[in-house]
Amino acid sequence: MQLGETAGGNILQEVSATGAYFWEVSGKPVSVLLDYDVVDRLLEQVLRSFGVVPRRSVEVGGLLLGSVERREGRSIVHIEDFEPVGCQHAHGPSFVLSEEERSRFEQSLAQWRAGAGRRTFAVGFYRSHVREGLAPDSADEEMLARYFPDPAAVLLLVKPFATRASVGGFFFREEEGLRRDASYLEFPF
């Protein structure tokens, strides 16, 4: 995929001055600025979990950290860091948190809540995606609704591949809910 404008006016472009990718979907209220450094470090974590289980990877996940700038009815989410949240995979290779793991997720989230004077906070969450396609499931939608009430909160799914570039996709809540079939714009990760 080339960086730049795609069919339908969707945009993925390198922003060299800031060292980030800019992800924007025409007509949608949420755009994302994703730091290159986050991509590099997050991909390293995702690839370490690749092939842990024979013929299948385990999923990893955690918090996305950054800030939100609101202007002219749009939100630009700037992802500057992430914090992994461990999963023992008691329910298989998917990133499904046990009660204890959910408690740790909530503790991490409490440390990164938005507040007065806080520049960096939890702006959403991520997980690797080793299932078919690249789309969120009902557990992702529930987590976004439960833990991230801000309409600008995002979910990042990263699909690793052994023989080609991994792929990422952002998701956010809309009036109809979380888009569950595919990301508006997948990008090389």
Side-chain angles (χ1 to χ4, degrees):
M1 174 192 302
Q2 294 293 320
L3 297 178
E5 191 162 343
T6 64
N10 298 338
I11 298 172
L12 176 66
Q13 61 188 165
E14 292 185 62
V15 183
S16 298
T18 60
Y21 285 119
F22 184 65
W23 182 94
E24 181 176 52
V25 176
S26 181
K28 297 300 177 183
V30 177
S31 300
V32 181
L33 192 61
L34 176 62
D35 286 2
Y36 295 145
D37 177 59
V38 173
V39 173
D40 292 342
R41 292 183 296 114
L42 187 53
L43 182 59
E44 182 179 315
Q45 181 198 21
V46 167
L47 291 177
R48 267 185 289 177
S49 70
F50 198 65
V52 169
V53 176
R55 291 180 293 220
R56 187 159 182 200
S57 299
V58 294
E59 294 178 345
V60 295
L63 301 175
L64 294 171
L65 307 174
S67 59
V68 178
E69 180 183 340
R70 300 176 202 285
R71 60 172 116 137
E72 300 171 9
R74 295 188 52 81
S75 297
I76 300 173
V77 179
H78 184 182
I79 300 171
E80 303 170 71
D81 206 353
F82 66 96
E83 182 170 307
V85 174
C87 179
Q88 294 298 314
H89 302 96
H91 306 288
S94 296
F95 186 73
V96 177
L97 302 177
S98 68
E99 287 303 314
E100 180 183 322
E101 292 161 346
R102 196 173 275 262
S103 178
R104 282 197 311 266
F105 183 89
E106 291 168 356
Q107 288 171 1
S108 291
L109 185 58
Q111 293 175 352
W112 289 104
R113 281 273 181 223
R118 182 163 220 170
R119 194 184 98 49
T120 303
F121 51 90
V123 295
F125 74 102
Y126 72 92
R127 73 170 172 81
S128 56
H129 187 80
V130 299
R131 309 164 203 184
E132 198 64 34
L134 184 65
D137 62 15
S138 59
D140 296 322
E141 187 167 23
E142 185 270 326
M143 282 186 72
L144 199 61
R146 180 175 181 178
Y147 296 119
F148 302 95
D150 187 333
V154 295
L155 164 62
L156 168 62
L157 296 181
V158 179
K159 187 167 190 69
F161 291 100
T163 59
R164 61 184 171 114
S166 298
V167 176
F170 285 106
F171 299 84
F172 53 90
R173 277 188 301 276
E174 300 182 68
E175 287 183 23
E176 313 80 40
L178 188 67
R179 183 177 170 129
R180 298 273 297 274
D181 58 344
S183 176
Y184 285 109
L185 178 62
E186 292 181 5
F187 57 97
F189 197 91

